Amino acid sequence: MKIGGKPVDGWTSVALLLTAGYLFMVVWPLITVLISSVTNADGFSLDGFATFFSSRLYYGTLFNSIVVTVCVTVLTFIIAFPLAYFMTMFRIPGNRTIQVLILASMMSPPFIGAYSWILLLGNNGLITRWLKDIGLEVPSIYGFAGIVLVLTLQLVPLIFTYLMGAWRTIDVSLLEAAESMGMTGWRRALKVIMPLLLPTVLGGSLLVFVRAFADFGTPMLIGQGYRTIPVLIYSSFIGEVSVDHSFAAAVAVIVIAVTLGVFLLQRYIVDRRTFAMTAMRAIEPTRLKGWKGWGVYAYVYGFLILALAPLVVVVISSFRNTLYGQFVEGFSFRNYVSAQRDIVRYITNTFSIGVTALVLLVIVAVLVSYLTVRRKSALTGALDTMTMVPYVVPGLIIGIALITAFSQPPLVLTGTFAVMVLALAIRRLPYAVRSTTALMYQFSPSIEEAAVSLGASKIRTLVQVIVPALAPGILSGAVLSWVTIITELSTTLFLYNTSTQTLSLGIYAQVIRGQLGTAAALSTILLLLTMLSLFLLMRMSGGGKEIRI
Amino acid sequence: MTTIALHALRKEYAGQVAIPDLNLEIADGEFFTLLGPSGCGKTTLLRMIAGFNSIEAGTISFDGTVINDRPASERNIGMVFQNYALFPQMTAAKNVGFGLQTRKIARAEAERRVGEALESVRMSHLKDRLPGQMSGGQQQRVALARALVIQPALLLMDEPLSNLDAKLRVEMRDTIRQAQRAAGITTVYVTHDQEEAMAVSDRIAVMNLGVVQQVGSPAEIYRHPANRFVAEFIGKTNILERDLVRQDGRTLVELSAGQRLDVTDLVGPSATGKVHISVRPEAVKAASSGLAAEVVDETFLGSHSQVRARLESGDIIEFLEFSRRSALWTQGDRVFLEVDTDQLTLFDAASGVSVMRGAGD
Ligand SMILES: Nc1ncnc2c1ncn2[C@@H]1O[C@H](COP(=O)(O)OP(=O)(O)O)[C@@H](O)[C@H]1O
Ligand SMILES: [Mg+2]
């Protein structure tokens, strides 16, 4: 059979199947959110939007979110650029270790940052009490400042890794050319390097923006009176006062509109400024002497300490004694022992749900990237675009969409194992597809043709030739996906019940219930799991070199 | 053992015609080469034969059976790619064995054949290496063994030597030729390098803009090019533009002032008007009399040198001289050139088509 000159083969059916699945599982739920935002019991109505813009209590959260996000985006860049510049241009003792630790701090569960800064600087925090003892009053960590501090420290590593990757593509001769024209130091960094890195910076900044804008755990834990829009969505959907799904849906639509707008803007700018570069000679770091050297070291190590502090605090806290959830004198394993039944349940769920989601994710990502790279057509193009949808949709909203679409017959998924798996896989899919697609592009099509010419079927070619050849890349991508899956919170927040509660959901629940000791113990376990996974990644060939989140 | 027939074949890429209408017959066991400049459609045609490209019109037949709709994996072809296309995660032996595995050949038998195939390309000692640990030449040997071990009906090669350095290219060229002879497999070989094509081929199809210009043995297309494109693409040549003059039933052409050449027996009876004359360098030599010319320069190349001289008509002729003189000619030296009439080819100036006797009319 032929369509438009091209033979129809098994791959077309796979593309159709995936498209159908995506339409049903992702696009349709989002459409139900859209529908629910413009309807109430009586049919079409813009009440949800009207309510939102009627009260400062509501539209103020959008304003708050935008202020926080812009601050965080700008701050992360201001902090990360010198960091990457120093790490590339100068010889810094322990360079490799620093990079690994920065990566580790980025991959640590996002809300642990908020939680441990409360342990340090909160009303009853370690540093707060210590300063009080010597008679100093510290400004409150709660609210705007706390959110910005935590998110910035959390996201600097993200843009830092982007910058380090881009830096490797800059040929040293460009810098030498600038130097020969009398341009050195900071002027050169700003005039020559910065413009070359711009596409990367914008790409990274978009991610920072989307993450900061959509982050729920941090403002929920540390924001207190300073409410951001994800918190508003959460509380209006959960219905502390009254359940108003139409309102929550309207807010969700507004959030998607903002992230989509930023996404398109970034695309528009980057498309017009991409340079093709390959470094023949990479930049050789030089040794710094005197006060300049000390300044640079102080900056790098100082950041590292700030970034790692939350992790250290959590681990130590997990061994402190508690009474009614609050920390008291003394150290022991009690937090672990008393919560052992919960811990076992959380870990079991984390693995069963996480691994299933990961397998689904990897299979779909391999198929989609194969289709978009090797079987270019209108259908696969549409599929590729569709898989990018969750990129601009915050996790909380994916959760809401799945609930809205699958909470009434014929298909009731709420509270099931399946919906947890589905939500996590959907959330991570854009990233997985993009990294697998990059691999696929590097893979010569003639290798596939060689297999076919030797008589291999399509399935055999995929399973015996393509996947094994790409396995190292797919595997390291999978480890990264795994880490983000086990630390994900907001996507599954509406979807779990006690039988599907994972570690990160457990930590959240314990913090909210004021069980700080148990939360610290769970966080330590999650951290350990994350670090072990990252260690595995570093050991794998090719891993650690080009890690992109 | 396979004969191939391409009939009225047409290929379009999104409406753009790459090959308008192509006919070819390839004999059993023949080493057949598609030769032409980059972008002329060689790869396109090869991939149509392999089954990787769609066919917009016409037929491809193996042994008289139309195989247009047979999938690539069932055409029983061995293929050698420019970038080797070895499976990166498999050793040399595993690569070679892959095609046998898909054919469900028994293990012992497969092992024996893999061993023989690697032996035939002198790669037995590296059978456990991964492609990443082999040089380009070694990888291409493995790729050749992988294509031959399945005893394909047809061997297809797309510029297999172009990623290798000059010395390896010559060596590998001989390996390919020997292996093909030994196996007697019908082979379609693609290259843009005319010297390579001449060295390995039984017959060559010269292509340009998706159209076959001429098919013949290397000697035929060199000595009797069907048109000006072929004459200039294969080897070097000088082109002179002249008028054919009919006088007393004879056909004459004035090479230089007063030097008339009688070409009555060379050209077809209907030839007339402006022609382009292809004068191969080896058709010209310096002599004591002949066409008067003035040396432009002489480049010493060892056993011989390359001379450029200007005829009185203003045309520049390039030819080769054995290094027998003690001093090189310098600009302005006066020489006489003798032209071997048997080695000239005349083309119609407008169409570029040969007007030689027996070429077309
Ligand atoms: N996949 C393709 N899509 C569109 N045009 C193509 C494609 N492959 C080849 N072409 C065009 O077809 C013509 C012949 O290309 P090709 O067969 O690769 O030439 P050759 O191998 O002789 O260098 C060229 O004009 C080329 O641009
Ligand atoms: Mg080609």
Side-chain angles (χ1 to χ4, degrees):
Chain A
M1 187 172 63
K2 279 185 172 190
I3 291 177
K6 279 193 193 132
V8 170
D9 59 15
W11 281 111
T12 315
S13 330
V14 174
L16 282 171
L17 209 67
L18 284 170
T19 309
Y22 227 79
L23 284 173
F24 181 61
M25 302 291 187
V26 182
V27 177
W28 164 242
L30 286 171
I31 288 175
T32 59
V33 170
L34 188 65
I35 291 173
S36 130
S37 75
V38 294
T39 48
N40 62 12
D42 317 323
F44 181 80
S45 134
L46 290 173
D47 285 353
F49 291 94
T51 315
F52 181 78
F53 288 107
S54 68
S55 165
R56 209 196 133 80
L57 201 61
Y58 300 141
Y59 68 76
T61 60
L62 178 60
F63 180 75
N64 286 350
S65 273
I66 287 176
V67 172
V68 163
T69 306
V70 170
C71 282
V72 168
T73 310
V74 172
L75 271 177
T76 48
F77 177 70
I78 290 178
I79 295 173
F81 186 78
L83 199 61
Y85 182 78
F86 294 155
M87 295 287 284
T88 316
M89 300 295 289
F90 307 124
R91 234 186 273 168
I92 292 173
N95 188 308
R96 176 92 187 126
T97 316
I98 296 174
Q99 290 198 44
V100 173
L101 287 176
I102 289 181
L103 182 72
S105 82
M106 163 170 74
M107 301 305 290
S108 70
F111 46 89
I112 286 186
Y115 167 50
S116 33
W117 282 107
I118 294 176
L119 293 180
L120 277 174
L121 289 172
N123 291 334
N124 200 20
L126 280 175
I127 300 179
T128 319
R129 271 189 302 164
W130 180 66
L131 287 174
K132 256 191 197 140
D133 288 347
I134 59 172
L136 281 174
E137 195 58 40
V138 274
S140 167
I141 185 74
Y142 300 100
F144 176 77
I147 302 177
V148 170
L149 171 80
V150 171
L151 285 179
T152 303
L153 286 178
Q154 180 79 43
L155 295 170
V156 164
L158 182 72
I159 203 153
F160 168 80
T161 7
Y162 263 71
L163 284 171
M164 292 300 278
W167 228 294
R168 270 192 286 270
T169 65
I170 294 187
D171 195 290
V172 70
S173 61
L174 284 173
L175 302 186
E176 287 167 357
E179 194 169 342
S180 73
M181 290 177 245
M183 201 182 266
T184 55
W186 273 107
R187 252 159 47 78
R188 181 176 67 180
L190 292 179
K191 293 234 153 109
V192 181
I193 301 178
M194 190 100 94
L196 289 173
L197 296 181
L198 194 69
T200 312
V201 167
L202 286 171
S205 294
L206 168 76
L207 214 53
V208 168
F209 186 97
V210 172
R211 288 259 193 115
F213 193 69
D215 190 77
F216 164 73
T218 306
M220 185 71 188
L221 293 180
I222 212 172
Q224 290 201 346
Y226 196 87
R227 288 178 14 130
T228 60
I229 205 161
V231 177
L232 176 70
I233 296 180
Y234 177 77
S235 52
S236 56
F237 197 80
I238 284 295
E240 284 161 359
V241 193
S242 66
V243 181
D244 189 347
H245 284 191
S246 162
F247 175 66
V251 184
V253 169
I254 291 168
V255 168
I256 294 176
V258 172
T259 41
L260 188 62
V262 174
F263 175 75
L264 293 178
L265 184 71
Q266 180 259 3
R267 269 245 169 132
Y268 175 75
I269 298 172
V270 170
D271 272 356
R272 311 161 85 232
R273 295 181 197 235
T274 328
F275 317 99
M277 290 193 296
T278 38
M280 316 277 276
R281 266 187 315 141
I283 296 167
E284 185 74 31
T286 56
R287 188 177 288 289
L288 270 182
K289 290 202 196 76
W291 64 268
K292 263 194 184 172
W294 291 114
V296 165
Y297 296 162
Y299 189 86
V300 173
Y301 294 125
F303 175 79
L304 199 62
I305 290 170
L306 277 181
L308 293 180
L311 311 188
V312 178
V313 169
V314 158
V315 175
I316 295 176
S317 304
S318 72
F319 297 106
R320 289 178 64 193
N321 288 336
T322 52
L323 190 65
Y324 304 120
Q326 297 300 313
F327 292 109
V328 294
E329 287 303 309
F331 289 87
S332 69
F333 285 100
R334 263 178 239 156
N335 292 328
Y336 292 90
V337 178
S338 65
Q340 53 178 307
R341 286 191 45 209
D342 282 340
I343 290 176
V344 170
R345 178 166 57 92
Y346 294 148
I347 291 181
T348 316
N349 286 338
T350 300
F351 272 92
S352 59
I353 293 171
V355 169
T356 317
L358 189 64
V359 169
L360 179 69
L361 178 69
V362 168
I363 292 175
V364 173
V366 166
L367 292 177
V368 169
S369 62
Y370 178 82
L371 285 167
T372 54
V373 174
R374 287 281 183 273
R375 311 277 151 151
K376 285 202 166 76
S377 72
L379 179 65
T380 60
L383 185 61
D384 187 42
T385 312
M386 265 194 290
T387 54
M388 285 305 292
V389 167
Y391 192 78
V392 294
V393 180
L396 212 53
I397 299 177
I398 290 179
I400 292 182
L402 288 174
I403 279 207
T404 318
F406 301 125
S407 62
Q408 60 255 50
L411 193 55
V412 183
L413 288 179
T414 327
T416 59
F417 181 87
V419 81
M420 295 285 286
V421 167
L422 196 62
L424 290 169
I426 288 173
R427 179 84 192 104
R428 184 62 199 173
L429 205 51
Y431 305 90
V433 166
R434 288 220 305 191
S435 75
T436 323
T437 303
L439 287 175
M440 208 61 92
Y441 268 116
Q442 288 165 14
F443 188 68
S444 161
S446 48
I447 294 183
E448 186 185 339
E449 286 168 4
V452 172
S453 77
L454 292 168
S457 64
K458 287 163 194 111
I459 293 292
R460 195 188 197 107
T461 307
L462 184 72
V463 173
Q464 280 197 355
V465 175
I466 302 177
V467 170
L470 299 182
I474 293 177
L475 214 60
S476 53
V479 175
L480 283 181
S481 295
W482 164 250
V483 171
T484 46
I485 283 174
I486 61 177
T487 58
E488 177 68 43
L489 173 69
S490 54
T491 308
T492 45
L493 205 55
F494 294 130
L495 303 174
Y496 77 94
N497 60 24
T498 44
S499 67
T500 56
Q501 204 168 7
T502 59
L503 266 174
S504 59
L505 289 165
I507 297 169
Y508 176 77
Q510 301 291 354
V511 173
I512 293 296
R513 274 164 41 194
Q515 295 295 329
L516 297 187
T518 316
L522 292 174
S523 299
T524 304
I525 293 170
L526 184 54
L527 211 54
L528 202 68
L529 209 56
T530 309
M531 295 304 147
L532 275 178
S533 310
L534 289 178
F535 180 73
L536 198 74
L537 180 66
M538 300 289 162
R539 300 246 84 175
M540 286 182 333
S541 60
K545 267 188 249 148
E546 271 296 336
I547 291 173
R548 287 241 168 143
I549 314 304
Chain B
M1 308 296 88
T2 317
T3 62
I4 298 164
L6 312 179
H7 178 67
L9 215 51
R10 180 179 180 84
K11 173 71 202 168
E12 294 168 13
Y13 286 111
Q16 291 274 63
V17 179
I19 294 176
D21 176 13
L22 188 141
N23 295 283
L24 274 180
E25 306 241 336
I26 299 168
D28 180 24
E30 193 171 31
F31 198 117
F32 192 89
T33 298
L34 304 173
L35 173 66
S38 177
C40 72
K42 309 178 293 289
T43 298
T44 300
L45 180 58
L46 194 79
R47 291 169 56 85
M48 289 167 88
I49 301 174
F52 295 128
N53 272 354
S54 64
I55 300 169
E56 269 62 55
T59 57
I60 298 179
S61 317
F62 290 0
D63 288 330
T65 314
V66 173
I67 51 96
N68 283 28
D69 292 326
R70 193 184 293 175
S73 58
E74 289 162 32
R75 290 190 186 189
N76 194 21
I77 44 171
M79 201 153 175
V80 179
F81 298 82
Q82 182 174 354
N83 61 355
Y84 327 129
L86 293 182
F87 308 130
Q89 76 279 20
M90 297 184 201
T91 61
K94 287 255 167 58
N95 262 285
V96 176
F98 186 87
L100 299 176
Q101 201 189 337
T102 65
R103 284 168 171 70
K104 306 213 169 28
I105 307 281
R107 176 169 297 206
E109 157 90 353
E111 253 167 49
R112 185 182 58 74
R113 278 168 64 175
V114 167
E116 280 172 10
L118 282 170
E119 187 58 50
S120 73
V121 293
R122 297 191 303 282
M123 282 296 295
S124 303
H125 59 300
L126 296 180
K127 66 180 173 18
D128 294 323
R129 285 264 181 99
L130 289 172
Q133 304 164 327
M134 290 187 258
S135 72
Q138 292 168 338
Q139 289 188 50
Q140 198 58 295
R141 284 174 192 279
V142 174
L144 181 63
R146 181 177 72 176
L148 287 170
V149 76
I150 59 173
Q151 297 169 348
L154 176 62
L155 182 62
L156 302 177
M157 296 191 250
D158 192 355
E159 314 231 7
L161 306 184
S162 59
N163 281 356
L164 305 179
D165 64 49
K167 190 161 166 290
L168 258 180
R169 224 165 16 230
V170 173
E171 200 184 305
M172 194 60 204
R173 184 166 96 184
D174 298 338
T175 308
I176 289 177
R177 189 60 174 126
Q178 278 165 16
Q180 188 268 346
R181 282 253 169 76
I185 295 173
T186 313
T187 299
V188 183
Y189 186 95
V190 162
T191 180
H192 65 268
D193 180 336
Q194 46 104 7
E195 189 190 311
E196 188 178 307
M198 303 261 217
V200 294
S201 313
D202 291 325
R203 281 196 308 152
I204 298 174
V206 183
M207 290 177 68
N208 189 31
L209 301 172
V211 177
V212 172
Q213 306 291 317
Q214 186 174 7
V215 181
S217 70
E220 270 164 20
I221 59 170
Y222 184 80
R223 297 223 183 91
H224 309 293
N227 57 40
R228 199 181 143 180
F229 173 83
V230 176
E232 289 186 288
F233 190 76
I234 308 287
K236 275 195 161 179
T237 195
N238 301 285
I239 299 285
L240 304 176
E241 185 176 294
R242 294 291 185 270
D243 285 310
L244 283 184
V245 188
R246 299 257 175 200
Q247 212 171 40
D248 312 330
R250 311 298 298 172
T251 308
L252 306 174
V253 63
E254 194 170 65
L255 274 187
S256 193
Q259 288 279 348
R260 286 193 161 185
L261 216 57
D262 187 337
V263 291
T264 318
D265 299 331
L266 288 180
V267 301
S270 62
T272 169
K274 245 187 205 359
V275 289
H276 286 151
I277 308 173
S278 154
V279 186
R280 294 280 187 200
E282 65 271 24
V284 179
K285 63 173 193 275
S288 49
S289 65
L291 301 177
E294 187 179 280
V295 172
V296 176
D297 56 24
E298 177 172 12
T299 311
F300 182 70
L301 296 171
S303 68
H304 59 275
S305 51
Q306 180 186 316
V307 188
R308 295 198 303 147
R310 185 178 288 112
L311 301 181
E312 282 170 349
S313 61
D315 297 292
I316 295 202
I317 295 270
E318 203 174 291
F319 61 98
L320 299 176
E321 278 270 306
F322 278 111
S323 304
R324 292 202 189 98
R325 283 169 283 116
S326 52
L328 296 183
W329 284 323
T330 55
Q331 187 182 5
D333 283 352
R334 305 204 59 82
V335 292
F336 291 99
L337 305 181
E338 200 176 279
V339 175
D340 181 358
T341 332
D342 288 343
Q343 294 191 50
L344 301 184
T345 320
L346 281 70
F347 307 106
D348 183 69
S351 67
V353 174
S354 171
V355 292
M356 302 298 280
R357 191 160 287 240
D361 49 15

